[in-house]
Amino acid sequence: MAVQEGDDTTEQITYTRQEAEALVERWADTILRIAYTWTGNIQDAQDVCQTVLLKLLTQPHRFPDPDRERAWLLRVTVNCCKDLKKSAWMRKRTSLDAAAETAVHLPEPEESPVLKAVLALPEKYRQAVYLRYYEEYSVNEIASLMGCKAAQVSTYLYRGKAKLKIMLGGGYGKTCFTD
């Protein structure tokens, strides 16, 4: 298979290894600091820095003086930061801290004696009771989910509620399990 133009980035680099290393050494810190101030995230800043340096090294022409090179690098860095900020990746991602705040709170069995009792039921009763009273599915929907008939789900619910009544001591939560 023949290598086509643009397949390998190293084909496009017009600098020698020493020149490339000197450019990276010279500009990486500046680009990284600018990118960090725009993105506020060191990993995103490193990505931007890498992108900008790659654009510099694959630039078809060389700059006549360091001031023009610096101006070009600053402009490209800012543009890359703007592109990153408006990318789908940035719009759709969230930080771990923000995700933790919006995470679903799953109640612990110790928080509720009713939940603890429901979780102690045999599997078929537990599934039926949980789906009906916690997730608020209809009997027909539960039958479809469990792969049985609606009459069987009604039996599971009746028997599950009877077991819960015994487990919870008779009168606890009478209004919880009324249809």
Side-chain angles (χ1 to χ4, degrees):
M1 185 167 116
V3 177
Q4 296 177 352
E5 184 177 332
D7 283 350
D8 185 9
T9 306
T10 57
E11 285 183 30
Q12 299 173 11
I13 295 176
T14 58
Y15 292 91
T16 66
R17 183 177 183 90
Q18 291 78 20
E19 289 173 324
E21 287 175 358
L23 284 172
V24 169
E25 181 69 30
R26 181 174 178 189
W27 295 113
D29 188 50
T30 302
I31 296 168
L32 187 62
R33 284 186 311 213
I34 292 168
Y36 182 74
T37 59
W38 272 80
T39 63
N41 180 309
I42 191 66
Q43 290 82 15
D44 290 338
Q46 289 170 339
D47 289 344
V48 168
C49 182
Q50 184 177 15
T51 301
V52 172
L53 289 170
L54 192 56
K55 285 183 180 191
L56 174 64
L57 296 175
T58 57
Q59 185 70 13
H61 66 279
R62 296 184 187 214
F63 295 96
D65 61 85
D67 288 336
R68 285 192 181 169
E69 186 176 58
R70 177 178 164 74
W72 183 88
L73 282 169
L74 296 178
R75 185 76 258 154
V76 171
T77 302
V78 169
N79 288 341
C80 284
C81 290
K82 287 179 179 179
D83 290 345
L84 179 70
K85 285 201 174 266
K86 64 184 177 184
S87 71
W89 165 253
M90 281 298 270
R91 286 192 317 264
K92 295 183 185 215
R93 79 175 187 176
T94 184
S95 70
L96 289 176
D97 294 333
E101 289 175 13
T102 60
V104 175
H105 171 71
L106 297 175
E108 294 295 323
E110 294 78 32
E111 292 177 15
S112 166
V114 176
L115 180 58
K116 188 175 183 179
V118 168
L119 294 176
L121 288 172
E123 183 178 1
K124 57 188 175 187
Y125 301 151
R126 179 179 64 239
Q127 290 174 350
V129 168
Y130 182 82
L131 290 171
R132 179 71 179 114
Y133 298 104
Y134 283 87
E135 298 297 327
E136 299 179 350
Y137 282 99
S138 71
V139 171
N140 289 330
E141 291 171 323
I142 296 169
S144 175
L145 289 169
M146 292 179 70
C148 62
K149 295 183 180 184
Q152 188 66 47
V153 171
S154 294
T155 302
Y156 293 159
L157 290 170
Y158 178 80
R159 291 179 182 167
K161 289 190 292 185
K163 287 186 177 285
L164 285 172
K165 187 174 183 179
I166 294 167
M167 293 166 73
L168 294 171
Y172 184 86
K174 282 186 179 181
T175 58
C176 294
F177 297 111
T178 57
D179 285 325

